[in-house]
Amino acid sequence: LITISTPITCLADYYSTTGNPIPDFTKDYVATNPVPGAAGGSPYGMRQGKWHKGIDIGTGGTVGEPSLPVYPMTPGTVVTVRYKEPQFCGYRVVLGISSPWYDGYEATGRGNYVIVEHGSSNGYKVTSLYAHLWDVNVKEGDYVTHSTMLGHSGSTGNSTCNHLHFEIRANNNQLNPALIVSFPPPSNESYWATDFGVFSGLNTLQPEVEGLSFHGDLVNKVFDISLSDGTDFFNPEWNIKRKDYNKKIFQTPDVAPQISLFDRFGPDIQFIPYFGEKKFELSLLDTFYENIKDNNGEFKFAINDLWKNRSGVLLNEVYDGRPEIVSESERESGYEDPRRDHYTGLSITGANAAIGNFYLKVGILFTKLVSFLGSNRIFELMNSVWETVVNNGIWEELSKNILLLVPIIMIPFIIYLTKLIIQYNSGKKTSRAVWPNIVNYFATLFLVAFLLGAPNAFGDLFKTLLTQIDDLFAYALNQNANEVSKSSDLDNVYEATLWSKSVFDPWCKGMFDKRGYDELYTMYDQNPDHKKLIQSNENITEQWPEGEYRRNSKYVTGDIQIPIGGGEIVRNWGALAWSTQSIYHIDAVPNQFTYMQTGESWPLSQLTPKNPSIYVDNFRWLDAKLNISPEFASDSTYNNNYPVGDGDTDAHKYSDDFIIYGFEALFMSFLLAPLLYPIMKRLISLMLIILISGRLMLRSIICLFKPGDNEYHLLANIKKILKPLYHYFWWSLVSFIFAILYLTLTGKFL
């Protein structure tokens, strides 16, 4: 009945070049190429696992500069203008800034754009969109013709090069522009090279797969992750330094200081529970939800929405080229997928992670405590307290009062000196016994006056000396360290080294099926000493015998690169999983869309569109762990099947070892307890060193009152206060040896 009474039959599908009719624009319009003479490049339709709603027209030129002018395809009225500054161009070309627009996923991707309404044709309201513009020369309400320049093409928003993203809609339904506008044959497709990669199987993905769903966005979780900036009670301001380092690495990785992964991401690590993924039928509720999101919160409805028959997955809009989850019908036919197999309402992954993370957090806390007490941070803290005391006027007032007492202080010396002279004249004392005492007194008096005027003199000297001692041991630990703890900034090397052994190694085993960090390098890693996570890597770029299946998860997950400054990168799946728990995560695969708010905001990497607390790279390490790859039947087709087996090319069943390795981290951290003995002895010496100026002042004043007492002689005073420095060095050496024994024995025996 609805079909008979309403002219909607041609609205059912604008995704196809055949089948349903399209509006006949030629009755009312002459539609022309918006960039005259330019060729259509990246086509309308499925592209890299996502639906591309328009055509990309390559315009050439230099990113960061205006390119070819853009004109409306046919006359109309400008209804929407979204424009800010052209310097926000090339999504990561200028200062790593993406688009100035952060009012939704779609708007972010378009950059500067214009929408023109062309009236109605055959009952359809027709609009066209022109995105990624360098500048905009029109305003909303302007009537434009074929000769009106809308602006210049550019690379604003999510764009790697100058081009125009061009869309046409009829009654807000997408239409393939190639059916309306004639474009010259592409002469150069390299401006979007990622569309024409080896993974040609992407072209076989079905266009009815959609991404938006109420179910997937708001009901089910795929991961349970909380992002951290790495600060804590022990390091309340470390995020300032961490942010500075990460900013330098993001903007100028080759000249940035080389720092450790620990310095980049911090010690607050957790087991990440994975709840699986599922493909399901999209309901009418999902359609309404998608319409609202597509229209920036405004509800839109078309009658054909009532019988849309589509499918979706929980979180499928992730990295380009990620293989699809098998459908329920495929699963019933015998197809396998460990991601789908793990999806169940009774999954205990989260419970295992909760228990494992409790053990892990206690282990992290104890390791932090040992590292904090064993570092020079307490010296810095107490030294700052001492500096506050001497700089806030208290010391100045004390100095004035002591100076007022100098005449009184000298009375005992005058009496003592008179006694010495009498004894000398009577022959009871020689000059050798008299003059040293006189010199000692005046030297002590001078020292008191010096300390009253410069109370920090000795503190600054010993601060430099103690820092050199700690840096010496940190430098020694750096020599045999890997990228987890090795850093040009020696402040955290001691803590990072202990943390790596007590916490990070068990965490890697719990996350990656009993594999330690040293076993998790990627197939792209060139260091022959590094062990690699086994991934399928069969040749899928050339023809092979018919009927044979090949798999290549190495290509699917890509060549991850985690920068650490100095031009150095890390290719390790454990490092990637760790980094995705930090707000300072940077996309591990070059040429990914990087979403960044303007100013000093983080993150500097792609978040999944449906969950702003999950990075896209989470799916990379998961797929690497599961060895996910479709069954390629040829270099251009594949089956959506991921059979689980024991071979190198087979996918792996998802499993977790959170509880046992969380407990191992707890146990390993408690094995640090013996270090507390030399650390506490060192700490006592440290406190005495901090008070060195005050103690020397007190003993010197006693010497002035008791000039004949050898216990408070100047040399005895200096020897007394220097003794803690010797003890500090000794107990630092002992604690360093204990740490080396811990690192060695836990790896071999415990």
Side-chain angles (χ1 to χ4, degrees), residues 239-528:
N239 62 320
I240 299 175
K241 182 183 288 189
R242 181 170 288 119
K243 184 173 184 177
D244 180 61
Y245 276 143
N246 280 281
K247 187 175 181 181
K248 290 178 180 177
I249 288 174
F250 179 76
Q251 295 180 354
T252 53
D254 292 338
V255 298
Q258 184 175 335
I259 64 171
S260 66
L261 293 172
F262 184 90
D263 287 345
R264 277 210 60 198
F265 305 123
D268 292 326
I269 206 165
Q270 63 177 350
F271 293 119
I272 303 174
Y274 170 67
F275 302 105
E277 297 165 79
K278 177 185 178 182
K279 185 180 289 187
F280 53 90
E281 293 300 317
L282 291 172
S283 66
L284 185 61
L285 174 63
D286 297 315
T287 299
F288 291 161
Y289 178 71
E290 180 180 11
N291 288 343
I292 292 173
K293 291 197 73 172
D294 270 346
N295 291 282
N296 295 324
E298 296 180 9
F299 179 75
K300 299 289 184 180
F301 174 71
I303 296 179
N304 66 299
D305 288 338
L306 293 174
W307 55 77
K308 278 187 178 180
N309 183 18
R310 305 172 302 153
S311 60
V313 290
L314 285 183
L315 195 55
N316 65 323
E317 290 192 53
V318 286
Y319 64 83
D320 292 336
R322 186 178 189 237
E324 282 289 328
I325 311 297
V326 298
S327 66
E328 294 306 290
S329 60
E330 289 171 329
R331 194 162 181 260
E332 292 173 0
S333 301
Y335 280 33
E336 298 181 69
D337 189 336
R339 299 168 296 179
R340 172 59 187 90
D341 295 341
H342 192 63
Y343 178 81
T344 169
L346 299 177
S347 174
I348 61 173
T349 300
N352 289 346
I355 298 172
N357 282 329
F358 172 76
Y359 294 144
L360 194 68
K361 288 179 180 178
V362 175
I364 292 174
L365 181 63
F366 190 77
T367 301
K368 284 182 178 181
L369 176 63
V370 173
S371 302
F372 177 74
L373 295 176
S375 69
N376 60 4
R377 293 195 186 97
I378 291 184
F379 173 77
E380 294 173 354
L381 178 62
M382 297 186 67
N383 193 59
S384 66
V385 173
W386 170 256
E387 290 177 351
T388 301
V389 170
V390 300
N391 292 329
N392 67 358
I394 297 177
W395 188 267
E396 183 178 355
E397 291 299 322
L398 179 64
S399 301
K400 291 179 181 179
N401 292 327
I402 293 177
L403 290 175
L404 292 175
L405 295 175
V406 168
I408 299 175
I409 293 174
M410 294 190 67
I411 292 176
F413 174 70
I414 294 173
I415 296 173
Y416 175 71
L417 180 61
T418 302
K419 182 179 178 181
L420 283 179
I421 293 174
I422 294 174
Q423 290 177 340
Y424 174 76
N425 290 332
S426 63
K428 295 181 180 180
K429 294 280 188 181
T430 64
S431 60
R432 290 184 178 182
V434 174
W435 287 110
N437 288 316
I438 297 175
V439 171
N440 173 71
Y441 181 86
F442 282 103
T444 301
L445 187 63
F446 172 79
L447 181 61
V448 170
F450 174 75
L451 289 175
L452 289 174
N456 289 327
F458 286 99
D460 293 340
L461 174 65
F462 290 128
K463 179 179 179 180
T464 301
L465 184 59
L466 266 57
T467 301
Q468 292 296 324
I469 293 173
D470 289 341
D471 286 350
L472 176 65
F473 294 132
Y475 178 81
L477 291 173
N478 241 347
Q479 296 312 297
N480 294 316
N482 60 11
E483 62 269 6
V484 174
S485 59
K486 188 174 185 178
S487 178
S488 58
D489 186 342
L490 300 177
D491 285 354
N492 289 329
V493 169
Y494 179 78
E495 179 181 354
T497 303
L498 298 182
W499 175 90
S500 176
K501 176 64 71 173
S502 64
V503 174
F504 186 57
D505 279 354
W507 176 86
C508 286
K509 295 174 184 176
M511 289 290 297
F512 289 93
D513 305 327
K514 302 179 176 61
R515 296 182 181 92
Y517 177 81
D518 291 335
E519 303 172 274
L520 296 175
Y521 288 94
T522 76
M523 299 291 286
Y524 292 93
D525 189 90
Q526 301 298 314
N527 190 328

Side-chain angles (χ1 to χ4, degrees), residues 16-187:
S16 174
T17 58
T18 61
N20 295 305
I22 61 174
D24 184 5
F25 291 154
T26 59
K27 289 183 178 180
D28 304 291
Y29 303 117
V30 176
T32 59
N33 188 346
V35 186
S42 185
Y44 174 86
M46 185 56 61
R47 187 182 77 181
Q48 299 179 337
K50 295 187 293 186
W51 191 260
H52 189 221
K53 300 175 181 179
I55 283 182
D56 286 340
I57 304 172
T59 58
T62 303
V63 172
E65 297 177 1
S67 187
L68 298 178
V70 176
Y71 303 91
M73 72 168 188
T74 198
T77 301
V78 177
V79 293
T80 302
V81 170
R82 293 291 184 267
Y83 170 73
K84 283 205 173 179
E85 298 83 8
Q87 62 262 32
F88 293 102
C89 66
Y91 69 99
R92 60 193 187 96
V93 174
V94 179
L95 298 180
I97 294 175
S98 174
S99 166
W101 293 101
Y102 206 73
D103 52 356
Y105 174 68
E106 179 116 41
T108 302
R110 290 172 177 170
N112 301 328
Y113 66 91
V114 171
I115 298 178
V116 178
E117 183 178 306
H118 306 285
S120 297
S121 177
N122 291 348
Y124 307 107
K125 184 177 73 174
V126 180
T127 58
S128 58
L129 176 140
Y130 310 82
H132 306 308
L133 298 175
W134 166 264
D135 54 9
V136 175
N137 295 336
V138 294
K139 63 182 182 299
E140 294 179 2
D142 285 355
Y143 181 77
V144 294
T145 66
H146 283 295
S147 61
T148 305
M149 187 175 71
L150 302 177
H152 291 87
S153 60
S155 188
T156 57
N158 288 336
S159 166
T160 58
C161 61
N162 290 335
H163 75 286
L164 175 71
H165 174 79
F166 175 50
E167 294 183 19
I168 301 176
R169 295 196 179 200
N171 287 1
N172 207 35
N173 287 273
Q174 293 135 15
L175 180 68
N176 186 348
L179 303 179
I180 308 302
V181 179
S182 297
F183 298 96
S187 58

Side-chain angles (χ1 to χ4, degrees), residues 470-626:
D470 289 341
D471 286 350
L472 176 65
F473 294 132
Y475 178 81
L477 291 173
N478 241 347
Q479 296 312 297
N480 294 316
N482 60 11
E483 62 269 6
V484 174
S485 59
K486 188 174 185 178
S487 178
S488 58
D489 186 342
L490 300 177
D491 285 354
N492 289 329
V493 169
Y494 179 78
E495 179 181 354
T497 303
L498 298 182
W499 175 90
S500 176
K501 176 64 71 173
S502 64
V503 174
F504 186 57
D505 279 354
W507 176 86
C508 286
K509 295 174 184 176
M511 289 290 297
F512 289 93
D513 305 327
K514 302 179 176 61
R515 296 182 181 92
Y517 177 81
D518 291 335
E519 303 172 274
L520 296 175
Y521 288 94
T522 76
M523 299 291 286
Y524 292 93
D525 189 90
Q526 301 298 314
N527 190 328
D529 297 329
H530 288 166
K531 296 180 181 178
K532 300 178 179 181
L533 178 69
I534 298 175
Q535 292 185 265
S536 56
N537 187 27
E538 296 180 325
N539 189 341
I540 59 171
T541 63
E542 300 175 358
Q543 293 288 345
W544 61 86
E546 186 176 353
E548 176 184 335
Y549 289 113
R550 293 189 178 182
R551 303 179 186 89
N552 192 325
S553 70
K554 171 190 173 184
Y555 182 80
V556 169
T557 52
D559 180 14
I560 65 169
Q561 300 177 22
I562 305 169
I564 54 175
E568 298 293 325
I569 60 173
V570 175
R571 292 184 171 99
N572 187 287
W573 295 114
L576 179 63
W578 173 16
S579 71
T580 57
Q581 300 181 50
S582 168
I583 67 169
Y584 301 110
H585 175 65
I586 298 174
D587 282 335
V589 178
N591 299 323
Q592 288 301 299
F593 291 159
T594 300
Y595 299 137
M596 177 188 174
Q597 299 178 24
T598 57
E600 297 297 321
S601 302
W602 292 77
L604 298 174
S605 59
Q606 185 181 5
L607 295 166
T608 55
K610 299 181 184 179
N611 191 330
S613 64
I614 298 179
Y615 294 117
V616 165
D617 280 337
N618 278 286
F619 291 86
R620 291 188 184 278
W621 62 256
L622 173 73
D623 293 341
K625 169 183 173 175
L626 299 181

